[in-house]
Amino acid sequence: MEGIVGYGAYIPRNRIKVEEIAKVWGADAPSYKRGLMLEEKSVPSPDQDTITMSVEAAKNALKRCLINPKDIGAVYIGSESHPYAVKPSGTVLAEALGATPEVHTADFEFACKAGTEGMYVALNLVKTGDIKYGLAVGADTSQGAPGDALEYSAAAGAAAFIFGRENIIANALESYSYMTDTPDFWRREYQYYPQHGGRFTGDPAYFKHVMGAAKGIMDKAGMKPSDFNYVTFHQPNGKFPFRVGKMLGFEKKQIEAGWLVNKLGNTYSGSSPLGLTAILDVSKPGDMILIVSYGSGAGSDAFIFEVTKRIEKVRDLAPKTRDLLDNNRRYLEYGEYAKFRQKIKKAS
Amino acid sequence: MSTPSRFWREIPQRYRLEANKCKRCGYISFPPRLICPQCQNREFKETKLADKGKILTFTVIRVPPQQFVDQAPYAVGIVELDDGVKLTGQIVDCDFENLKIGQKVKIEFRKIFDAGEAGILCYGYKFVPE
Ligand SMILES: [Zn+2]
């Protein structure tokens, strides 16, 4: 059997509240908060990007498994905000962990699904026996155009998973992918902010693919919603995960442990992976977990994990996701936020 | 100005805090040296610096060198790590008025500077309050 041997999260300390953004654009904060089920979101510091957050999340994952970084045979970062247009992010991560030079590295891109894509490949490479350990990180520092609905939710965070065959904390029972070509959200080269298809992003995009992947993996495994203790879906806003959960037959209590979006925002490639870290933080041996990502373009990856006894030994070895979310927050005003995110630039 | 090749040579220290520990007297050199400055011994064991410590002293830089102009004002401090090594670096994610000598900090991986809009991104360690 193969599965997760280490996991780690990273969330920047800065937050901005929905009210603070709404104030600037003359928007009605209470209706945004109700409509998106969102209160605030994380904001990276000016010296943070997908690479720095991936390093911190991966270091936390290493703290939970105490393996030799030289034994990591694959290092993948999935993100839609890789800092370089040309030059990999993964090489910096592999070097920072001490995994180089005998390691395969690649950067994945598939909108918000890039993180689980890396997990899919790392897990299945471990399964073939070609590598001893594989590391996959989902991380993003995504931006919404000023005043756009996305600006209220586009946030930053990273989640890292190390897959292996020994000392497993969550057995990987199934993996499954569901994908079609659907242009619901995109960004062309040299464009700073993405475009989206408005209402088109709902039914034919998010709901169709998340449901397709969730039903597909449950069929494959011969399982039903009530067989799971926890489920986490991609969280572009607060409402979508509960709505898709209900459509599939899951209850609110199965979703809540991994539902971080109301205080975190949408961390894109980090979204459902961060939900999984929060679930592992509170799960017990024997618990069954379903994770379903979503990436525009469009597709979903799904995994079923079964928690082992080892979770109790390792979960306290690194910061827990809810603690990263709730402790040490720094609230920004819009001006500082706009400077941090380079929405305004200083005269040179 | 740091060139890509100079930056590249310093990666083991900037990314992984690799240091040398003297096999005779235990002195930790960072960056690693060939001869122990304390006992002149030439035999070392590879080690990594501790990732936590406390602030010994700090100052706020308001008139910085060229490549840090966009970051000013920022705090720079000398931190005594849990292994006794004293390390200088930026202290970030903090309000200057709340910084204190003796305050506990941890090391995080951050962008140190970018060499202009088209240049390389230089990463390394900074301190953040715990
Ligand atoms: Zn010595």
Side-chain angles (χ1 to χ4, degrees):
Chain A
M1 182 56 83
E2 50 287 314
I4 297 169
V5 299
Y7 71 97
Y10 185 83
I11 298 169
R13 291 180 177 190
N14 312 300
R15 301 284 185 279
I16 187 163
K17 288 185 178 290
V18 165
E19 286 88 345
E20 183 64 23
I21 299 173
K23 196 169 77 187
V24 171
W25 302 115
D28 182 37
S31 75
Y32 264 105
K33 287 172 81 168
R34 255 194 331 270
L36 300 172
M37 282 176 81
L38 205 68
E39 290 167 46
E40 57 193 58
K41 66 166 189 172
S42 65
V43 180
S45 288
D47 59 358
Q48 293 186 297
D49 59 22
T50 285
I51 290 177
T52 66
M53 295 192 308
S54 296
V55 170
E56 290 300 319
K59 286 196 318 204
N60 285 333
L62 272 176
K63 282 180 190 161
R64 285 198 170 102
C65 61
L66 303 166
I67 61 169
N68 183 348
K70 293 271 178 221
D71 291 334
I72 299 175
V75 170
Y76 301 132
I77 300 180
S79 178
E80 60 154 53
S81 47
H82 290 289
Y84 284 99
V86 177
K87 193 203 162 298
S89 303
T91 50
V92 182
L93 173 60
E95 196 74 66
L97 300 177
T100 53
E102 285 185 277
V103 58
H104 183 253
T105 300
D107 292 354
F108 286 86
E109 288 187 24
F110 191 142
C112 302
K113 186 172 95 70
T116 55
E117 280 194 306
M119 291 167 67
Y120 194 96
V121 176
L123 167 65
N124 284 293
L125 277 176
V126 167
K127 207 182 259 185
T128 65
D130 204 47
I131 58 173
K132 191 168 178 190
Y133 298 107
L135 166 68
V137 185
D140 257 309
T141 56
S142 295
Q143 296 253 42
D148 188 270
L150 281 180
E151 191 183 22
Y152 293 89
S153 58
F161 298 91
I162 300 171
F163 297 94
R165 286 184 297 274
E166 287 164 19
N167 294 323
I168 293 172
I169 58 179
N171 293 315
L173 303 185
E174 285 292 353
S175 56
Y176 182 84
S177 281
Y178 186 93
M179 195 198 80
T180 68
D181 186 40
T182 308
D184 57 329
F185 176 95
W186 62 93
R187 179 170 66 84
R188 293 280 301 273
E189 186 135 56
Y190 309 118
Q191 296 293 305
Y192 198 60
Y193 297 111
Q195 305 283 315
H196 56 87
R199 296 215 162 266
F200 187 47
T201 57
D203 290 333
Y206 180 88
F207 291 97
K208 175 183 162 180
H209 294 87
V210 171
M211 304 247 326
K215 284 181 179 165
I217 197 168
M218 284 191 284
D219 278 352
K220 198 176 164 195
M223 293 176 74
K224 53 188 187 306
S226 58
D227 294 332
F228 294 91
N229 302 83
Y230 300 104
V231 60
T232 186
F233 303 106
H234 176 54
Q235 304 169 26
N237 56 54
K239 275 196 171 163
F240 277 21
F242 285 120
R243 196 184 300 165
V244 80
K246 198 174 170 193
M247 287 158 77
L248 285 160
F250 287 94
E251 290 176 47
K252 216 174 166 188
K253 63 173 194 219
Q254 291 165 289
I255 300 170
E256 278 165 341
W259 187 75
L260 308 168
V261 57
N262 64 324
K263 297 278 187 187
L264 174 62
N266 177 5
T267 51
Y268 287 58
S269 303
S271 179
S272 52
L274 274 165
L276 178 57
T277 65
I279 288 170
L280 289 170
D281 282 342
V282 297
S283 60
K284 291 187 289 295
D287 280 353
M288 299 293 258
I289 304 169
L290 172 65
I291 165 176
V292 186
S293 65
Y294 173 71
S296 295
S300 290
D301 297 318
F303 303 87
I304 295 172
F305 293 107
E306 178 192 32
V307 180
T308 75
K309 271 191 213 153
R310 192 171 163 80
I311 189 73
E312 287 167 346
K313 276 197 193 134
V314 308
R315 77 169 119 226
D316 292 328
L317 298 177
K320 297 202 179 82
T321 304
R322 291 269 173 198
D323 291 339
L324 293 170
L325 195 58
D326 296 339
N327 301 342
N328 264 325
R329 285 172 292 192
R330 295 180 75 222
Y331 284 94
L332 304 179
E333 292 184 358
Y334 195 88
E336 199 180 2
Y337 160 74
K339 182 179 133 187
F340 275 24
R341 301 306 286 131
Q342 295 191 306
K343 289 170 192 278
I344 49 169
K345 290 188 182 180
K346 197 177 171 186
S348 50
Chain B
M1 193 72 191
S2 186
T3 61
S5 66
R6 179 175 156 207
F7 178 81
W8 175 77
R9 280 197 304 277
E10 295 167 350
I11 278 179
Q13 282 69 50
R14 287 180 181 271
Y15 286 15
R16 297 191 296 273
L17 299 162
E18 284 182 6
N20 268 359
K21 189 170 189 172
C22 175
K23 279 190 177 172
R24 193 191 306 166
C25 77
Y27 182 88
I28 298 175
S29 5
F30 181 83
R33 302 194 205 191
L34 293 173
I35 299 169
C36 174
Q38 202 156 279
C39 74
Q40 278 71 52
N41 182 28
R42 286 166 185 267
E43 279 188 272
F44 297 92
K45 197 176 104 191
E46 277 183 27
T47 185
K48 265 189 189 180
L49 298 186
D51 61 2
K52 289 181 180 182
K54 59 174 200 277
I55 298 174
L56 287 183
T57 182
F58 68 93
T59 183
V60 175
I61 307 281
R62 295 179 192 277
V63 185
Q66 183 63 42
Q67 70 257 45
F68 294 99
V69 164
D70 286 345
Q71 298 182 37
Y74 56 86
V76 168
I78 299 174
V79 167
E80 182 176 355
L81 300 175
D82 290 349
D83 52 20
V85 172
K86 295 180 182 71
L87 189 63
T88 302
Q90 273 191 49
I91 308 170
V92 294
D93 285 4
C94 59
D95 298 315
F96 303 144
E97 58 270 28
N98 296 334
L99 282 179
K100 284 185 202 71
I101 286 170
Q103 189 175 351
K104 287 192 169 168
V105 292
K106 61 174 180 160
I107 286 177
E108 277 197 11
F109 193 76
R110 298 289 176 114
K111 198 157 62 184
I112 305 297
F113 61 87
D114 49 19
E117 291 225 327
I120 64 160
L121 301 170
C122 299
Y123 294 94
Y125 54 83
K126 288 187 186 177
F127 302 109
V128 295
E130 277 219 86

